[in-house]
Amino acid sequence: IHKLWWTPTRIQNLMRLQGIKGPSYRLLYGNATEIINMQTEAMSRPMNLSHDIFSHVQPHIHSWAKRYGRNFLQWYGLQPVLVVTEPELCKEILNNKDGVYPKQKPSKFVKKLLGDGITMTTGEKWVKLRKVSNHAFHGESLKNMFADMKASAETMVERWKIHEGKEIDVFEEFRLYTSEVISRTAFGSSYLEGKTLFEKLSKLTIIIFRNLLKVRFPGMSKVFRTSDEIESDKLEKGIRDSIMEIVKKREKEATIGEKDSFGNDFLGLLLKAHHGANDKQRLSFEELVEECRTFYFAGQETTNSLLSWIVLLMALHPDWQEEARKEVLQLFGKQTPNYDGLAQLKTMSMIINETLRLYPPAILIVRRVEKEVKLGKLLVPANVELLVPTLALHHEPQFWGQDVGLFKPERFSEGVSKATNDNMAAFIPFGMGPRMCVGLNFAAIEAKIALAMILQRYSFTLSPGYVHSPSESLTVRPQHGVQVILHSLQ
Ligand code: HEM
């Protein structure tokens, strides 16, 4: 009774007294059933070709924010979740100056994907992991990865030759491309070598999303295991085995004891940290495997969706497609784009930003309150989760104007701070503060090189077969792919 009724009622009352309303807590399930029903209903309706996707993808947040106000309380089962869309509060949470808003505790399904790796962990362990990935995905290291990205993009556009004049599903194509890029650049491997690993990651992602809101009686898993629990255990083991194979192969190739013998890519750096002499910096084998799993996932899913949405938007807006092509041809002609030149693609950056605003691949950022804390004027009790809904902020007319749902890359013509009126929390596709995306620059270069090479060779129009259905499955992805017709420019 204490856990199921007294605590939720106390928290609900405490928040109501401070003006924070929300859908009422329901015994054991909280608002999980309502959320699932609203999402199922929204997904069952076809969507017209509009970019007003907020009410379609997150109908509960859309409708409850309207009904209860900018900040409201909802319940994932017994877990109270404070949804925060007030920019000042979002900033306070994400900047996390005093370390009072750590990452949420992952559910047992999420743990199978992300473990206690960089995206989930805190404290000294996070500092140690972040140091390795900062080194691997910034500055010179990033420049060194460019040749592999270019080669992967070349392979992709070569493959497209057989689709000239025909329909092509770019979501599927970018899945291969982004898998190839992260395999080659970070792990010195290839998509084919990691094929089963990616397939298992993809299946695990679907299971995780399916179970995010499922409520189970405490201790139930010890008595009865669902088919998803059994399947996810198998997938977790399969992923681990595939990663071990890649790691062992690299270890074998290396001459232990020689400087840099493990290589300078991400896997090489992880192995160096694993075999390193410094106790404090050393990674255990478990930590190494977790990091590989995280980057195989984070490095692929997000950029895959982003590239697909960009192509959709450029197919719908041929004027912007033409502008972007003009810029690429002016800078590179028909030559393969070079690393430094990519930074000068201004129109393309505007298109990327506007796509990230309308279709941010990562739509929720979650933190938790460990001990009672003052957030702005609100007193938030311990164990409440805080949810910063990126999609809601990116689709807020108060920040972006009444044309919020329109694709208008010109918003970003004078940079992000001008586009947001210095309201930093209005545009956070890569998060904000110390936990901001490690792969931001990597993703930007990966996207630009692919788009530049496509624009040099092809124009594209939307296929009549395309069905618009942005759906959430850890990232916002096109449920039925993005089909376009390719027209050769050669
Ligand atoms: C369009 C592409 C991408 C988007 C939209 C994106 C989005 C995000 C967001 C919103 C966060 C912050 C999460 C939070 O604060 O809780 C994040 C963190 C992270 N991202 Fe990305 N990401 C992208 C690409 C990548 C790539 C390519 C990689 C790897 C190469 C990557 C690796 C990570 C990692 C490791 C973190 C955790 C950082 C930490 O907690 O210190 N991401 N990403």
Side-chain angles (χ1 to χ4, degrees):
I1 286 173
H2 187 271
K3 205 169 167 178
L4 295 188
W5 181 79
W6 195 83
T7 304
T9 309
R10 185 183 64 84
I11 291 178
Q12 195 163 259
N13 288 341
L14 201 107
M15 296 312 289
R16 276 191 184 155
L17 282 173
Q18 302 181 74
I20 299 294
K21 295 177 244 156
S24 296
Y25 166 77
R26 289 176 211 277
L27 200 67
L28 187 64
Y29 290 94
N31 309 120
T33 316
E34 288 148 281
I35 296 175
I36 292 170
N37 287 345
M38 284 162 102
Q39 278 179 330
T40 314
E41 203 269 327
M43 294 314 288
S44 69
R45 273 183 280 123
M47 203 190 153
N48 58 17
L49 243 177
S50 113
H51 311 312
D52 273 326
I53 65 167
F54 180 27
S55 60
H56 185 76
V57 178
Q58 291 176 319
H60 55 294
I61 299 184
H62 181 259
S63 128
W64 290 340
K66 261 190 183 165
R67 192 178 321 163
Y68 301 116
R70 299 192 79 107
N71 312 314
F72 65 89
L73 189 71
Q74 64 177 29
W75 294 82
Y76 291 165
L78 299 178
Q79 177 63 58
V81 180
L82 180 62
V83 181
V84 180
T85 62
E86 222 170 282
E88 282 311 307
L89 301 188
C90 296
K91 262 196 267 179
E92 197 173 325
I93 296 167
L94 298 180
N95 285 332
N96 193 20
K97 285 226 170 69
D98 306 315
V100 289
Y101 304 113
K103 285 283 187 135
Q104 77 273 32
K105 288 197 173 123
S107 71
K108 67 172 184 284
F109 283 105
V110 172
K111 249 190 191 153
K112 290 179 201 294
L113 179 67
L114 301 171
D116 187 35
I118 184 171
T119 56
M120 287 294 154
T121 199
T122 46
E124 276 183 23
K125 183 172 171 189
W126 173 73
V127 174
K128 179 171 75 173
L129 297 175
R130 181 85 194 197
K131 208 169 152 190
V132 179
S133 45
N134 272 347
H135 187 112
F137 291 96
H138 285 104
E140 266 315 289
S141 314
L142 205 53
K143 217 169 177 176
N144 293 336
M145 291 174 174
F146 186 64
D148 277 330
M149 288 191 186
K150 207 166 61 179
S152 307
E154 261 157 8
T155 311
M156 178 181 70
V157 284
E158 251 329 277
R159 204 169 50 228
W160 286 21
K161 281 190 173 155
I162 53 165
H163 296 280
E164 285 173 7
K166 297 188 211 139
E167 184 184 280
I168 185 168
D169 180 359
V170 292
F171 184 64
E172 214 26 56
E173 287 297 318
F174 291 141
R175 192 176 62 74
L176 295 180
Y177 167 66
T178 50
S179 305
E180 182 75 21
V181 168
I182 192 71
S183 298
R184 286 175 82 146
T185 56
F187 299 100
S189 167
S190 68
Y191 167 68
L192 270 184
E193 205 176 358
K195 189 167 181 282
T196 50
L197 169 66
F198 283 113
E199 283 164 2
K200 290 193 168 94
L201 279 170
S202 175
K203 281 187 192 156
L204 186 56
T205 310
I206 293 168
I207 295 182
I208 293 173
F209 188 69
R210 198 158 58 210
N211 284 277
L212 270 187
L213 288 177
K214 278 205 182 142
V215 178
R216 298 206 76 203
F217 284 96
M220 189 69 177
S221 306
K222 290 189 184 125
V223 187
F224 169 74
R225 286 162 54 72
T226 63
S227 55
D228 276 353
E229 283 170 326
I230 297 167
E231 176 69 9
S232 59
D233 278 352
K234 275 195 214 148
L235 289 169
E236 185 189 17
K237 182 173 177 315
I239 292 166
R240 190 186 152 81
D241 290 347
S242 304
I243 290 175
M244 295 254 291
E245 235 175 79
I246 293 168
V247 174
K248 292 283 170 206
K249 188 172 158 222
R250 176 71 66 89
E251 269 186 324
K252 227 177 179 179
E253 283 163 7
T255 334
I256 297 177
E258 270 180 33
K259 193 172 173 281
D260 288 342
S261 60
F262 292 114
N264 283 324
D265 61 3
F266 183 52
L267 179 57
L269 293 177
L270 288 175
L271 275 165
K272 226 180 279 175
H274 172 54
H275 289 281
N278 183 341
D279 277 358
K280 272 201 165 160
Q281 296 298 322
R282 192 178 306 131
L283 292 186
S284 70
F285 193 72
E286 260 329 296
E287 287 171 341
L288 185 148
V289 172
E290 262 172 8
E291 285 313 273
C292 293
R293 199 168 48 190
T294 300
F295 277 82
Y296 266 117
F297 167 74
Q300 192 270 320
E301 278 267 332
T302 43
T303 321
N304 185 6
S305 295
L306 170 64
L307 276 166
S308 310
W309 294 123
I310 294 174
V311 167
L312 170 74
L313 287 162
M314 285 207 279
L316 287 171
H317 298 272
D319 49 339
W320 281 103
Q321 186 186 143
E322 205 35 57
E323 275 296 304
R325 180 171 300 105
K326 226 171 28 192
E327 183 182 62
V328 169
L329 293 176
Q330 257 165 18
L331 259 170
F332 306 115
K334 293 273 175 173
Q335 302 293 314
T336 309
N338 56 60
Y339 184 84
D340 294 326
L342 291 183
Q344 296 172 45
L345 292 172
K346 193 175 168 217
T347 305
M348 192 183 284
S349 299
M350 285 156 56
I351 293 174
I352 293 176
N353 277 340
E354 181 68 340
T355 309
L356 283 167
R357 182 183 74 80
L358 288 168
Y359 296 85
I363 52 174
L364 295 175
I365 301 181
V366 191
R367 298 289 188 266
R368 84 189 135 91
V369 172
E370 219 160 33
K371 286 189 205 140
E372 186 178 76
V373 71
K374 202 96 201 233
L375 170 63
K377 287 184 184 151
L378 288 176
L379 191 67
V380 186
N383 301 321
V384 168
E385 269 189 6
L386 302 170
L387 196 153
V388 176
T390 310
L391 194 60
L393 294 161
H394 288 194
H395 284 251
E396 174 54 61
Q398 209 179 319
F399 308 147
W400 298 98
Q402 286 313 310
D403 58 0
V404 63
L406 300 183
F407 175 69
K408 293 179 88 177
E410 63 267 35
R411 290 179 212 275
F412 289 94
S413 59
E414 289 174 62
V416 171
S417 26
K418 198 81 196 231
T420 58
N421 271 330
D422 287 326
N423 189 353
M424 305 260 286
F427 185 66
I428 49 167
F430 294 101
M432 186 194 247
R435 306 298 294 245
M436 198 166 174
C437 181
V438 170
L440 185 161
N441 295 331
F442 178 93
I445 293 171
E446 181 182 14
K448 282 183 179 174
I449 179 80
L451 293 169
M453 283 200 192
I454 294 167
L455 289 165
Q456 282 175 324
R457 290 163 178 79
Y458 298 106
S459 70
F460 41 88
T461 46
L462 195 63
S463 163
Y466 172 72
V467 177
H468 193 49
S469 183
S471 74
E472 189 187 0
S473 170
L474 294 192
T475 55
V476 172
R477 49 159 84 183
Q479 194 182 5
H480 310 291
V482 173
Q483 296 79 12
V484 293
I485 311 283
L486 273 190
H487 310 279
S488 172
L489 299 173
Q490 307 283 4

